[in-house]
Amino acid sequence: MAAAPSGEPATTPAWHAQPAEAVLRAHDTHPDGLTVAEARRRLARHGPNRLVVAPTVHPLWRLARQFHNLLIYVLLAAALVTALMSHWVDTGVILAVVIINAGIGFLQEGKAERALRAIRHMLSPRAVVVREGHAHDVDAAELVPGDVVLLAAGDRLPADVRLLHARNLRIDEAMLTGESVPVDKRIDPVEPRAAVGDRFNMGYAGTLVTQGQARAVVVATGSRTEIGRIGRMLETVETTTTPLLRRMAVFGRWLTLAILGLAGLLFVFGIAVRGGSAEDMFMAAVSLAVAAIPEGLPAVMTITLALGVQRMAERHAVIRRLPAVETLGSVTVICSDKTGTLTRNEMTVQRVVLREAVLTVEGAGYAPQGLWSAQGQGIEADDLASRWPVAHRLAQAGVLCNDAGLREVQGQWQLAGDPTEGALLTLAMKAGVDPAVLRRRHPRLDAIPFESEHRYMATLHPDDAGGRFAVVKGAPERVLAMCSHEAGARGESQPLDAAWWQARIDEQAREGRRVLALACRALPATQGRLDVADVEQGLTLLGLVAIIDPPREEAMAAVAQCLQAGIRVKMITGDHGVTASAIAAQLGLGPGLVAMTGPEIEALDDQALREAVRSTDIFARASPEHKLRLVRALQANGEIVAMTGDGVNDAPALKQADVGVAMGRKGTEVAKQAAAMVLADDNFASIAHAVEEGRTVYDNLRKTVTFLLPINGGESLTLLVAVLLGVSLPILPAQILWVNMVSSIALAMVLAFEPREADVMRRPPRAPDEPLLSGFVLWRIALVSTLFLTGIFGMYEWSLAQGHSVETARTVAVNTLVVMEVFYLFSVRYLKAPSFTWQGVQGTPRVLMAVGGVVLLQMAFTYAPWMQALFQTEGLSVTQGLQVIGVGVAVLVLLELEKLAVRRLKLA
């Protein structure tokens, strides 16, 4: 048996397994409720019926945490040193980068606190409680264990309760269990190990009464309720870091240590070997650190991620946390809730079983669009009554024995009432029946409402000949026992073959469909009331309807796309295993998949569960703890997990997952706050689009890193060689920062706009442990850094050899660096493919705009008097400009030759 999650209280009694009388005795109460004095004493002992408010992190502390990063420490130290050196431009630029990144992180935090606040608001604000035999409307916070409450349709349950009496009670528990339809409640005890969704005698705080009335005793309040337990689980879930952040953290540590080590060696070498002063060598070491640290990389990364957010929003995926953009590109497993995510959360009749045939009904949801067919042959609605009269009568019966209503609002069909009854209305409209007209033609005279005790509903109507008839719908086994005859092919009555119908019921149930039976009976014209005795026997069975919450058509295509991209899709639902397996088969997850159930998950320890998740793709009757354990097991196997969901029961797993994905339309506020991404259209297909964008973002980030690091490498090597040789610096620190923060970033930013590559969804996911800098990228960085060193130092020394001043030579060196960056940009857009193509030369409009902007900035840097004074530059001649451009062309040609060699030799 798996251990309970840490922080959980001792196991509470299984109230659902005990008779109602025993539960009352255990709470020292009775059906007339507690006395006012006793309720007051218990309130003092148990506390108010509210969720415990965890202390929030102070905003100043949250802000301070944003600076807890080794690379940030080095940048702050560099800013301090440059300030002491009175290099205010350098100081300002470095501090701006640090503050921008800290501000973004600060604004993105606080997600857990918001999720907990959203959960607290789900408890009912008022409750009807019985005390001393009288009903009182009280604040729900005043409820205590042992209180007796009254429930009615429309009430949100104020606490966890054990039912004492229930009449026609149905509760919508989708937020906790994922059930597609409201659950019929009764008071009989159930198995002690029953899952939350199978505890038919219990009601849980925050769920909604959709039908009926009940009297119940409160067994848990506040944080001891099921929803409170989920809140505690949210508190214990640590927010996982993303693959990009993990790689950048490792990269940042190594880069920082390398820079500090190199600067220290340079300082020692300058004093010990070159005999320089400590002050001069310290300034040289600081200059090297400033040159080596890619100040612009965090800003460019943030912009790249932000652009990914914008593109995803256009495809209905709203990102709440920036790093989630890149994480989506690394996802290896998508764990999806079933109801409302992979399915429509709209019940639909798919099969109509008659004595002579099984008819198929197309379409999904409540929209009355879909063709009837028999053995693959379509049946027009106008022909149904003549060709299949029993099917038409059955459709009419589904309208008459029905309390629901459907109406079209702005192109969307909205249901008022029970989802199953809504499916019957849609079925009738597909058969050409107008519910309003039919109900006027055969008005309801009396009815026996559905109750869990008798499991059927019956209505009485006048017929066209002046007589009366009853229509009955309900659980198939119950209705079958009430029938003596069945409708034949043309509607004639014939003896019932109960065994044949039971076989058909079992067939549909095995395919995961919910089965209802419809029957009718002629009654005397004088019949004015409908009693149980009138329908208990002698009914004629019209047929069966098989109903399911169908998968979204776009979800099926998205699942296929994910599988093609090497991403496994796993269904984790609170629904029944048979239903989950049937939906999985329709989605294309594979034929004959068997679901692992909640009790089976509980029986496994963590290691066994890690093995089970490798081969199992369907998990049914899963509780919040199960979902959380499953996500953690997948992560322990090295998977990058995206978890989708919409209910409160999904919130802990959404927070634990690498990318939590909540539904925007039907999702609870708790789920949205716990998630990193919200689907505006509640469409699983949007996840596939988001993964596609995430992979594109990573591709562009890798191009950005491959573009920026060689620039810093070339600058650093230039300064290092200058100190080692004992010559003047070819580029001053302020000039380096100009290049890094203006030219480099302006050019690097356009890489964020690069379109996605054609094979982006045909390649497998990146390995979670794949380093940010692969061997090929490291080679490219070393090669380009060397080319930049050669170009910068070569042009600097060439200018000095021509008799130009040091200022002019430095201006030539800086312009050479910028021109090499421009030509390298055209090369890096295609890391391995040739750039000497019309598309490669032409670039994109943004590339050309960026190059034009950099040229203008560099002209100002070189020729504007105030820039010359600020950066110590001199104007260059046309000849010098052409020489600088020639170096850039040479760099591009050499890189294209390197690409050719890589492709020919298949080195990468």
Side-chain angles (χ1 to χ4, degrees):
M1 180 68 66
S6 60
E8 287 296 308
T11 303
T12 56
W15 303 120
H16 53 276
Q18 300 182 25
E21 298 78 12
V23 177
L24 287 172
R25 286 195 302 272
H27 286 85
D28 194 18
T29 186
H30 46 79
D32 287 336
L34 301 170
T35 64
V36 174
E38 177 62 19
R40 192 177 297 117
R41 283 193 293 271
R42 294 191 185 189
L43 183 63
R45 184 165 72 249
H46 295 283
N49 181 31
R50 298 191 189 98
L51 298 183
V52 177
V53 179
T56 58
V57 180
H58 193 280
L60 290 178
W61 176 242
R62 281 173 48 207
L63 181 62
R65 288 192 309 201
Q66 309 307 316
F67 297 93
H68 183 52
N69 180 285
L70 191 56
L71 200 57
I72 295 296
Y73 291 155
V74 175
L75 285 175
L76 289 173
L80 175 62
V81 174
T82 53
L84 294 175
M85 295 164 59
S86 298
H87 290 180
W88 302 116
V89 175
D90 304 350
T91 303
V93 170
I94 295 172
L95 288 178
V97 172
V98 172
I99 291 171
I100 287 171
N101 282 279
I104 291 172
F106 177 77
L107 292 175
Q108 293 296 329
E109 280 206 355
K111 184 177 59 175
E113 290 85 350
R114 290 195 296 273
L116 290 172
R117 283 199 298 271
I119 264 191
R120 292 176 197 120
H121 292 309
M122 297 200 69
L123 291 182
S124 174
R126 307 293 297 178
V128 178
V129 62
V130 178
R131 287 180 180 162
E132 299 179 352
H134 300 286
H136 303 275
D137 184 14
V138 302
D139 187 334
E142 298 177 15
L143 290 183
V144 296
D147 261 332
V148 173
V149 294
L150 302 180
L151 306 174
D155 290 347
R156 193 170 289 280
L157 269 67
D160 286 1
V161 300
R162 169 65 163 87
L163 300 176
L164 303 176
H165 305 286
R167 178 176 176 81
N168 196 23
L169 183 68
R170 288 183 175 180
I171 298 180
D172 182 355
E173 296 180 337
M175 56 169 276
L176 282 177
T177 66
E179 286 275 10
S180 304
V181 295
V183 180
D184 296 322
K185 294 294 184 176
R186 53 181 183 265
I187 65 171
D188 303 324
V190 297
E191 287 294 322
R193 294 177 58 82
V196 170
D198 295 327
R199 297 173 188 174
F200 303 114
N201 54 21
M202 296 289 294
Y204 293 99
T207 59
L208 182 68
V209 179
T210 61
Q211 183 178 323
Q213 302 86 35
R215 180 180 292 242
V217 59
V218 174
V219 296
T221 59
S223 59
R224 291 173 293 278
T225 62
E226 186 72 14
I227 196 172
R229 193 169 53 81
I230 294 173
R232 292 198 306 279
M233 289 169 61
L234 269 176
E235 290 177 348
T236 62
V237 173
E238 295 291 334
T239 302
T240 57
T241 185
T242 70
L244 177 66
L245 294 181
R246 288 196 291 268
R247 295 184 187 115
M248 287 306 298
V250 173
F251 170 69
R253 285 195 295 271
W254 281 107
L255 181 63
T256 302
L257 292 174
I259 291 171
L260 293 177
L262 192 59
L265 289 174
L266 184 66
F267 177 77
V268 173
F269 178 85
I271 295 176
V273 178
R274 289 297 176 189
S277 67
E279 181 180 355
D280 290 342
M281 289 303 99
F282 185 76
M283 291 172 60
V286 168
S287 298
L288 176 64
V290 170
I293 292 176
E295 297 93 346
L297 184 58
V300 173
M301 283 182 57
T302 300
I303 291 167
T304 304
L305 294 172
L307 288 171
V309 168
Q310 181 180 341
R311 287 200 297 260
M312 288 183 185
E314 293 171 357
R315 305 182 82 172
H316 308 293
V318 180
I319 300 296
R320 298 186 60 254
R321 187 157 49 90
L322 267 184
V325 177
E326 180 275 334
T327 311
L328 280 162
S330 308
V331 164
T332 59
V333 174
I334 298 176
C335 295
S336 179
D337 187 39
K338 177 183 70 68
T339 305
T341 309
L342 291 167
T343 66
R344 301 177 61 93
N345 199 18
E346 297 176 348
M347 301 302 288
T348 303
V349 176
Q350 289 187 334
R351 300 286 186 273
V352 175
V353 182
L354 307 177
R355 188 63 178 90
E356 69 273 24
V358 177
L359 305 185
T360 298
V361 186
E362 298 175 354
Y366 298 130
Q369 299 161 357
L371 193 67
W372 289 62
S373 63
Q375 297 178 340
Q377 299 296 316
I379 308 169
E380 294 296 332
D382 295 339
D383 299 333
L384 188 68
S386 58
R387 293 179 55 188
W388 300 90
V390 178
H392 195 262
R393 284 178 60 192
L394 179 145
Q396 291 180 319
V399 172
L400 296 175
C401 192
N402 197 313
D403 291 326
L406 278 176
R407 63 193 183 102
E408 188 176 14
V409 179
Q410 297 179 346
Q412 298 290 323
W413 286 86
Q414 296 183 354
L415 169 68
D418 183 80
T420 301
E421 294 191 327
L424 292 175
L425 291 180
T426 302
L427 174 72
M429 287 189 281
K430 291 176 182 177
V433 176
D434 186 327
V437 172
L438 183 67
R439 284 168 171 170
R440 285 195 299 268
R441 179 180 165 191
H442 302 290
R444 183 182 297 184
L445 303 177
D446 197 12
I448 300 173
F450 180 93
E451 291 189 11
S452 56
E453 287 79 6
H454 56 236
R455 300 168 63 206
Y456 68 82
M457 173 183 178
T459 55
L460 177 66
H461 307 269
D463 62 23
D464 295 329
R468 300 285 190 267
F469 67 96
V471 179
V472 177
K473 81 166 190 297
E477 294 85 357
R478 181 71 181 93
V479 174
L480 207 60
M482 299 158 65
C483 293
S484 59
H485 292 78
E486 62 188 41
R490 306 307 303 174
E492 71 281 5
S493 182
Q494 60 190 40
L496 179 73
D497 185 349
W500 185 90
W501 286 103
Q502 187 61 53
R504 304 293 80 75
I505 293 168
D506 294 341
E507 284 178 4
Q508 295 301 321
R510 281 196 296 271
E511 294 183 16
R513 300 187 182 99
R514 184 183 183 190
V515 182
L516 286 179
L518 289 104
C520 62
R521 183 183 184 187
L523 294 170
T526 56
Q527 187 95 20
R529 290 193 43 163
L530 191 63
D531 295 319
V532 171
D534 298 322
V535 295
E536 280 290 326
Q537 58 186 358
L539 299 181
T540 298
L541 183 65
L542 296 174
L544 309 172
V545 291
I547 305 173
I548 200 168
D549 179 14
R552 298 171 179 266
E553 291 183 8
E554 59 272 25
M556 290 188 278
V559 167
Q561 187 180 25
C562 289
L563 295 176
Q564 184 184 36
I567 301 169
R568 294 185 65 185
V569 179
K570 295 180 182 291
M571 181 190 296
I572 306 178
T573 178
D575 214 337
H576 295 279
V578 174
T579 304
S581 297
I583 293 295
Q586 294 180 47
L587 285 166
L589 292 181
L593 292 175
V594 178
M596 176 177 284
T597 63
E600 291 171 334
I601 295 172
E602 287 183 7
L604 301 177
D605 59 22
D606 290 344
Q607 183 59 41
L609 188 60
R610 286 181 59 181
E611 293 302 317
V613 297
R614 298 183 193 274
S615 56
T616 306
D617 290 331
I618 308 173
F619 300 91
R621 300 315 259 173
S623 69
E625 293 96 336
H626 299 151
K627 294 184 178 185
L628 188 57
R629 284 190 67 207
L630 288 168
V631 172
R632 286 173 171 166
L634 288 164
Q635 290 173 329
N637 287 342
E639 306 285 1
I640 304 297
V641 182
M643 169 73 190
T644 74
D646 55 3
V648 175
N649 60 326
D650 298 320
L654 287 174
K655 186 181 175 187
Q656 176 68 43
D658 297 281
V659 183
V661 183
M663 303 297 110
R665 290 182 181 175
K666 297 178 181 177
T668 60
E669 188 63 24
V670 181
K672 294 176 190 175
Q673 294 291 347
M677 184 174 85
V678 178
L679 298 184
D681 59 352
D682 286 13
N683 193 336
F684 182 85
S686 296
I687 301 174
H689 297 321
V691 170
E692 186 177 52
E693 292 294 346
R695 291 187 174 190
T696 302
V697 164
Y698 184 83
D699 287 346
N700 292 344
L701 282 174
R702 190 173 63 160
K703 292 175 184 177
T704 301
V705 171
T706 310
F707 176 73
L708 285 177
L709 291 188
I711 296 172
N712 290 96
E715 295 166 350
S716 304
L717 289 175
T718 300
L719 294 176
L720 183 61
V721 170
V723 173
L724 293 177
L725 296 179
V727 299
S728 300
L729 298 179
I731 303 179
L732 296 175
Q735 295 171 340
I736 289 173
L737 283 170
W738 162 265
V739 173
N740 287 356
M741 293 305 297
V742 180
S743 304
S744 301
I745 293 178
L747 295 174
M749 271 200 303
V750 300
L751 294 173
F753 294 90
E754 286 293 288
R756 56 182 171 273
E757 298 178 12
D759 66 340
V760 70
M761 288 299 281
R762 292 197 297 271
R763 35 170 134 130
R766 299 189 313 275
D769 57 351
E770 176 185 299
L772 182 66
L773 303 180
S774 64
F776 171 73
V777 172
L778 288 172
W779 153 252
R780 179 62 62 80
I781 290 172
L783 172 64
V784 177
S785 297
T786 304
L787 293 177
F788 274 45
L789 164 66
T790 304
I792 295 168
F793 219 97
M795 290 300 291
Y796 174 75
E797 291 295 333
W798 172 266
S799 295
L800 291 178
Q802 297 296 311
H804 296 295
S805 66
V806 172
E807 288 75 15
T808 300
R810 284 174 175 158
T811 306
V812 169
V814 172
N815 279 281
T816 300
L817 172 59
V818 172
V819 168
M820 287 191 296
E821 288 180 16
V822 169
F823 281 94
Y824 180 44
L825 175 66
F826 285 97
S827 174
V828 82
R829 291 182 63 234
Y830 307 96
L831 287 176
K832 299 169 187 174
S835 298
F836 283 142
T837 62
W838 174 243
Q839 182 181 4
V841 173
Q842 185 183 27
T844 65
R846 288 188 178 88
V847 170
L848 300 179
M849 288 172 59
V851 171
V854 167
V855 169
L856 292 176
L857 287 171
Q858 208 56 33
M859 294 288 283
F861 173 86
T862 305
Y863 298 105
W866 66 274
M867 294 285 274
Q868 291 178 340
L870 184 62
F871 289 104
Q872 303 178 39
T873 59
E874 298 283 350
L876 302 181
S877 66
V878 174
T879 301
Q880 289 173 315
L882 292 175
Q883 291 171 343
V884 166
I885 293 173
V887 174
V889 173
V891 167
L892 180 59
V893 171
L894 289 171
L895 288 176
E896 289 305 298
L897 292 174
E898 182 259 355
K899 287 184 189 178
L900 179 62
V902 167
R903 290 195 304 274
R904 290 280 179 86
L905 300 176
K906 298 181 180 180
L907 297 177

